[in-house]
């Protein structure tokens, strides 16, 4: 399942160099992942009910093009890889001209919210990666 | 009781116009108030124990001078006025040359954390304003 | 002339207390003013052509209600008062239930971009306040 | 050459989950790199004089531990790898207990500031990687 979110770059998101700062891209990616989880009916509360927390352990991001004020960005999120206790989402940001401005792999692990030890990815989440199985 | 906090302006706090953005000053002020509460032994937990929450209801800020990257700012916070269920803190930001870059009056009210209705300012907080009484 | 801008509260705009932070409201207000200037055909470049810069000297903001993640906020901006070298905009933020969450008066002065001394508000801007004249 | 920068985690840097947000770590890393460039006498102006701009093209960050308000973080930056037109810095963030909270590889390319095409890493920068040569 893919999810897309469209946003507009605002003035206070522009840094001293006149474009969107590196760090801000990671906020955009987070907003995109929130959208993906919500579309998948996997809101924060759902995980809580399962006694599970997801924790981001790695982000590997390529910066391709700069973003300017008023740019309309589309953030897409889709399943990339499923492990036993971890999973990877692939995210891309395109601008209003269809240009790729950034792409990233985001690796998360699933943990027991009480013991804080790793736990298998729950079925509710794993099924979203099913089509990737060889 | 006064409290001061010294900070350094960082690159990602500079906006498209090359100086610290209006909104960021309010973060600096909040950091200064946190310092003031901590020095007064009125940390967040203390209020919780009293069943009280403080809520900021008004900020009136004058912008006097711009701040640039690497500027060393001193944020001072002191009691200004005490009401029955509200109080006002006066905050100033000076740069490394002693110039006033901003000053603000910050009005908060004390509320019952459960009923969310206003409650008298607790003695622990009120005594910090005692020297202002006529 | 009024201008409105609609935005959605994102996860990274929520602070440790679970709601939008004080400082973030000032970013929302700035986004609203940018919209107002653009609708009035008074983009940044236009001022530059006139050799003028506008500088915010005071913001007086009332916080009325908290904002939560996914809230849809409408920021409205309208002329409030015109002086010789300064002007005041009135801004309000309402949530998706029509509740007023914050209102603010924002005072700016017009300055010569080279000499950095105050200059009369240019006609292009002053005419937007004409209907307020007694 | 290594450079270290010490900072304190502030209240407005804490997100809805009660710890420092993923994106904020990238701001900390940027502050650390600024410190490294300054210690190396390679401030922004120096690159401008050389007609060169450095552009970050990839950040690969591991999140190891959460950071909380008032944590004292040390950000270290050191040369990792030198290419013809690119270079990699290794950055680590430790907390006041000496625990590694994040580490990252940051890849930048050097570009001609006018033509925006890649250019060899200037000697002033390359010499900082000299001790890594086999």
């Amino acid at each position: 399942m893919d999810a897309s979110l469209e946003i507009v770059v605002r003035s206070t998101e522009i840094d001293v160099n006149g474009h969107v700062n590196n760090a801000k891209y990671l906020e955009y990616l987070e907003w995109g992942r929130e959208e993906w989880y919500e579309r998948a009916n996997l809101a924060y509360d759902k995980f809580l009910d399962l006694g599970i927390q997801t924790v981001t352990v790695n982000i590997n991001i390529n910066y391709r093009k700069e973003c300017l004020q008023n740019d309309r960005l589309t953030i897409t999120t889709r399943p990339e890889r499923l492990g036993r206790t971890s999973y990877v989402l692939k995210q891309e940001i395109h601008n209003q001209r269809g240009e790729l401005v950034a792409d990233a792999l985001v690796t998360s692990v699933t943990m027991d919210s009480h013991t804080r030890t790793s736990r298998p990815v729950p079925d509710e989440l794993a099924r979203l990666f099913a089509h990737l199985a060889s």
Side-chain angles (χ1 to χ4, degrees), chain A:
Chain A
M1 190 208 69
D2 290 24
S4 293
L5 176 69
E6 195 177 304
I7 61 149
V8 176
V9 174
R10 300 295 172 193
S11 59
T12 57
E13 299 172 357
I14 302 298
D15 74 5
V16 61
N17 297 312
H19 53 228
V20 175
N21 183 265
N22 287 336
K24 196 72 198 178
Y25 284 71
L26 259 64
E27 293 194 48
Y28 294 162
L29 293 181
E30 181 180 314
W31 304 351
R33 291 197 301 279
E34 292 278 315
E35 186 71 15
W36 185 80
Y37 284 114
E38 283 173 20
R39 296 261 184 101
N41 281 318
L42 282 172
Y44 189 67
D45 293 351
K46 191 68 166 283
F47 282 113
L48 274 191
D49 287 347
L50 295 166
I52 277 174
Q53 247 184 317
T54 67
V55 177
T56 300
V57 294
N58 179 271
I59 296 181
N60 190 339
I61 181 170
N62 296 304
Y63 297 100
R64 309 281 185 184
K65 278 197 176 291
E66 65 178 4
C67 296
L68 305 177
Q69 191 175 337
N70 290 333
D71 274 357
R72 303 189 85 84
L73 304 181
T74 303
I75 306 147
T76 57
T77 304
R78 64 167 190 268
E80 174 77 9
R81 212 159 52 228
L82 177 68
R84 205 182 65 88
T85 59
S86 70
Y87 58 99
V88 180
L89 296 173
K90 169 81 178 272
Q91 298 195 277
E92 292 181 341
I93 305 177
H94 289 84
N95 65 17
Q96 67 275 19
R97 288 178 298 280
E99 298 166 327
L100 180 67
V101 299
D103 56 47
L105 294 174
V106 179
T107 306
S108 299
V109 297
T110 42
M111 287 173 54
D112 186 289
S113 18
H114 300 293
T115 63
R116 304 281 291 173
T117 52
S118 64
R119 275 205 9 197
V121 174
D123 290 345
E124 289 82 347
L125 183 53
R127 66 178 165 78
L128 301 169
F129 292 76
H131 64 290
L132 300 173
S134 55

